[in-house]
Amino acid sequence: AKPRVAVRRRPARAAMSHAQQNLVVDVFRQGAPYIEYHRDSTVVLVLPGSVAASDHLSALLADIALVHNLGVKVVVVLGTSATINKRLVERGEEVRYEGSHRITDAPTLACAKEAAGALRMEVEAMLSAAPATNVFRRHGSNGGAPADLNGSGLQANNSVNDNAFAARIRVAGGNYISAKRRGVVKGVDFGHTGEVRGIDVDGIRQQLTLGSVVLVTNLGHSASGETLNCNCYDVATSIATAIHADKLVCMRDGPVDNGWISSLAARARVDSMQTAGDADQGEVAVVASTVARPHTRSDSLAVDELAALTYAVEGSVRRAHLLDCAVEGALLLELYTRDGVGMMVSSDAYQKMRKATESDLKSIAELLAPLEADGVLVKRSQEDMRSMLPSWRVVEREGLVIACAALLEYDYSGAEGTGEVAAFTVRPSYQGRGVGDRMLARLEAEARHRGISTLYVLTTRTADWFVGKGFRLSNVDDLPPARRESINLVRNSQVYVKQLGDLDEVPSPETPSEAMSSGSYMFP
């Protein structure tokens, strides 16, 4: 008889509850389109000095590892300003800035080299420890069972995959950044402070193709072999535009408003901040003291952060994002959910109002159905909906209709220049975000462009909101006779009116005429 071999059994796992199972399924189903969309895309992620020195670095790197394992090509740019300042203060050296640029003397450069080297080693170690997908189930040629050594019945777990315990993620670094001295500006010698001069595009792309995470610090090298201290945002935007990255993601150690703005609106805001002298905030904040200060989160958006997003989008990057590193899973939520958790700057119509098409009628009907059931809106048949198709406008966010309204132009005799906004509806999950405000502003701009000077709205429950938008109480008798005859008086709808002749200019990256010719407005 064969000797009995002890079999090592895995400990029993607690069964997932039905709610937990549903949650896991929902997460995968909702995230699946975004996982597929971002697969093989390239993301440049900048971790400025305040973030790299924070307690959130480990969690961020774990999320970066997960994003990498989901098929995203990742370039990580590390900043070291906070660590440099700390080392200088500890050594009794002066921390010097001129405006928004650091003056890098010999002691500062030494601290910059030490900080960059130490941070790089720390990040490599953390990424090496991150689990990869092949850890969860190691399927060998024998279907995943432990290998049998020479038919002896003895099993060895470590022979299934010889590389199972190798470094989980390959990290690649090198002299990808060529720089030049900033030199003397307005009589100030910036010493070893550098500006990005060129990017080794082929080198970075080659490593990304091989499946590596490319790790870059804020140090660059000159043609004469000199090491220069550069701004991490300058490095990140230069890399992102040079390699034509799909996204630039900037982390910050401070709160971020969730939303989207166009690149034109972002540029106007950057110019305003620079004019107001806000360029000394953020990653390169001026430090005049030789006393170490405790690390604190920044509540105000810095010009460096917004400028980096804007410059990238004005270049070749399609979308740029700003995230709060303190939000758990911020990178995952921003990439793999529809609305994200941060600020996005984009040159494309991520969210826009456009003319509805016949394929939108089903989505419009779904938006209106709850309000029709509650008696807030008049119920419309499919024939009525289809006949109104030229009047329907929808607000779309990445394929989802989140708001709708109909802009009706009265064609009754004697009612020239008169119109009505009907079925004005915003999806509940998007209410309170300014979607309705912007949609009404676009509708008014379009109405004025079409020669409508008097705009009516009939409502039963949202009178206060329309009054806040400049509408005033009117009455049914003020409506054109033909329109009065079609009103269901039993509903007792209130009539409000607004004169559009003196409307302010509607802020938009497109003029009304351009928007009408294209059939859509971008939301800033």
Side-chain angles (χ1 to χ4, degrees):
K2 292 184 178 181
R4 301 178 66 180
V5 178
V7 178
R8 182 182 300 172
R9 298 184 181 277
R10 295 180 179 177
R13 293 180 299 177
M16 296 177 64
S17 68
H18 186 66
Q20 290 173 324
Q21 292 174 350
N22 289 339
L23 177 61
V24 172
V25 171
D26 288 342
V27 167
F28 274 98
R29 285 177 175 171
Q30 293 177 21
Y34 296 96
I35 293 174
E36 181 61 29
Y37 176 79
H38 292 305
R39 194 186 309 277
D40 293 325
S41 65
T42 301
V43 174
V44 176
L45 182 71
V46 54
L47 306 180
S50 57
V51 173
S54 72
D55 297 332
H56 306 293
L57 180 61
S58 178
L60 279 172
L61 292 175
D63 290 344
I64 291 171
L66 177 55
V67 168
H68 171 78
N69 283 330
L70 289 174
V72 177
K73 301 174 182 177
V74 181
V75 178
V76 179
V77 178
L78 301 173
T80 57
S81 64
T83 306
I84 293 173
N85 292 344
K86 181 180 178 181
R87 289 175 181 262
L88 286 172
V89 171
E90 290 173 347
R91 298 175 186 183
E93 300 288 348
E94 184 181 2
V95 180
R96 300 171 60 204
Y97 282 88
E98 179 64 26
S100 61
H101 296 276
R102 182 191 293 276
I103 298 175
T104 307
D105 53 16
T108 303
L109 181 61
C111 290
K113 291 179 179 180
E114 294 171 8
L119 180 59
R120 177 182 176 80
M121 292 301 296
E122 182 181 2
V123 170
E124 286 183 356
M126 290 183 180
L127 290 177
S128 296
T133 51
N134 67 348
V135 172
F136 302 141
R137 288 187 179 179
R138 301 179 186 135
H139 297 286
S141 58
N142 59 351
D148 188 341
L149 298 181
N150 302 322
S152 64
L154 299 178
Q155 296 171 337
N157 291 331
N158 61 352
S159 63
V160 176
N161 187 345
D162 292 338
N163 294 322
F165 297 100
R168 300 297 185 252
I169 293 178
R170 184 185 299 113
V171 179
N175 55 341
Y176 300 124
I177 310 300
S178 60
K180 63 178 181 178
R181 280 188 179 237
R182 178 169 173 79
V184 179
V185 180
K186 296 181 179 179
V188 178
D189 185 357
F190 284 86
H192 300 280
T193 297
E195 295 178 344
V196 177
R197 185 174 186 177
I199 303 295
D200 182 4
V201 175
D202 292 338
I204 293 176
R205 285 179 175 170
Q206 183 180 34
Q207 291 299 329
L208 292 175
T209 301
L210 291 173
S212 303
V213 170
V214 176
L215 189 60
V216 181
T217 68
N218 59 303
L219 297 182
H221 305 285
S222 69
S224 61
E226 182 183 18
T227 299
L228 298 174
N229 182 31
C230 302
N231 180 282
C232 68
Y233 291 110
D234 187 18
V235 172
T237 53
S238 298
I239 292 176
T241 54
I243 68 174
H244 299 285
D246 298 282
K247 289 181 180 289
L248 171 68
V249 179
C250 298
M251 306 301 300
R252 79 182 304 256
D253 194 18
V256 176
D257 292 333
N258 179 221
W260 170 79
I261 58 176
S262 68
S263 57
L264 291 180
R267 164 54 58 194
R269 187 170 176 183
V270 169
D271 292 343
S272 175
M273 292 170 71
Q274 290 175 335
T275 301
D278 291 336
D280 58 349
Q281 299 180 17
E283 159 68 7
V284 288
V286 173
V287 181
S289 174
T290 58
V291 179
R293 297 183 300 174
H295 175 71
T296 57
R297 283 164 54 82
S298 174
D299 292 332
S300 59
L301 181 65
V303 66
D304 281 3
E305 297 163 340
L306 186 57
L309 307 184
T310 307
Y311 293 152
V313 172
E314 289 175 340
S316 59
V317 180
R318 183 163 169 255
R319 292 178 178 177
H321 307 254
L322 183 65
L323 307 178
D324 181 358
C325 69
V327 175
E328 183 68 24
L331 180 62
L332 304 178
L333 293 170
E334 187 71 7
L335 293 182
Y336 299 113
T337 63
R338 185 186 304 275
D339 301 316
V341 293
M343 174 188 292
M344 184 176 76
V345 176
S346 171
S347 59
D348 61 0
Y350 167 74
Q351 180 172 301
K352 64 181 179 180
M353 189 183 86
R354 58 174 176 80
K355 295 179 180 178
T357 64
E358 190 162 356
S359 62
D360 294 317
L361 292 178
K362 180 179 179 181
S363 297
I364 295 173
E366 291 174 351
L367 277 180
L368 301 183
L371 299 178
E372 292 175 346
D374 289 343
V376 177
L377 296 178
V378 175
K379 186 173 180 58
R380 294 174 173 82
S381 66
Q382 292 184 356
E383 292 75 15
D384 291 338
M385 296 278 290
R386 189 169 288 105
S387 66
M388 293 172 60
L389 183 59
S391 301
W392 285 113
R393 301 292 181 266
V394 296
V395 177
E396 180 186 40
R397 171 176 276 200
E398 290 205 327
L400 176 69
V401 174
I402 63 174
C404 68
L407 180 58
L408 307 172
E409 185 173 0
Y410 293 158
D411 56 2
Y412 313 125
S413 175
E416 292 80 6
T418 306
E420 178 183 337
V421 173
F424 192 97
T425 307
V426 178
R427 189 176 292 271
S429 58
Y430 288 88
Q431 293 175 5
R433 301 191 187 184
V435 174
D437 297 344
R438 292 190 290 271
M439 181 167 67
L440 180 60
R442 300 302 182 270
L443 291 171
E444 291 174 350
E446 181 184 343
R448 185 170 59 171
H449 176 72
R450 288 164 54 177
I452 297 174
S453 58
T454 303
L455 196 61
Y456 286 96
V457 62
L458 278 68
T459 181
T460 57
R461 300 188 189 177
T462 56
D464 291 344
W465 189 85
F466 282 103
V467 169
K469 305 305 173 187
F471 284 79
R472 60 176 178 80
L473 182 63
S474 183
N475 58 69
V476 176
D477 294 335
D478 291 336
L479 293 171
R483 178 67 178 102
R484 290 201 301 268
E485 295 174 1
S486 64
I487 294 177
N488 182 1
L489 298 179
V490 176
R491 287 176 48 81
N492 196 27
S493 297
Q494 293 179 304
V495 179
Y496 286 81
V497 65
K498 184 174 184 177
Q499 301 299 325
L500 305 181
D502 297 327
L503 280 179
D504 295 332
E505 186 70 21
V506 177
S508 172
E510 304 175 13
T511 64
S513 59
E514 290 171 339
M516 288 308 302
S517 63
S518 65
S520 67
Y521 278 106
M522 287 176 60
F523 274 26

